[in-house]
Amino acid sequence: MIETKTTCPSRFAGSPIERIVPALAAAVTATGLALGELHAPQWRLLSAVAAANLALYAAAGWCPASALLTRVGVPSLRDPRNG
């Protein structure tokens, strides 16, 4: 029998910050583009802000969304307490 090692311990439940931040950026970008098409072009700035936050997260490993998620208690895969 082959044992598989998981990256997350069994007590870890839910999605980590590393998966939530890109998903949140995708949702905000899609919302900004849709509102920009349906209402006013200025809504496309929302997509630009989401893209800038995602670029910051990719470059530095931190963005305002990840800081907010950390503050509300969402676990990170990089946190040593998660295993």
Side-chain angles (χ1 to χ4, degrees):
M1 179 181 236
I2 299 173
E3 291 184 31
T4 59
K5 182 176 177 162
T6 59
T7 58
C8 300
S10 61
R11 72 181 186 282
F12 182 81
S15 295
I17 289 175
E18 291 80 7
R19 293 191 65 172
I20 294 174
V21 168
L24 183 62
V28 170
T29 300
T31 301
L33 290 175
L35 287 172
E37 192 65 32
L38 297 172
H39 294 288
Q42 292 84 0
W43 278 106
R44 292 189 182 121
L45 291 173
L46 185 63
S47 298
V49 170
N53 277 313
L54 192 57
L56 179 63
Y57 185 71
W62 179 91
C63 70
S66 66
L68 180 66
L69 290 169
T70 301
R71 184 169 253 187
V72 282
V74 176
S76 172
L77 291 177
R78 293 180 285 180
D79 189 0
R81 292 176 293 205
N82 288 334

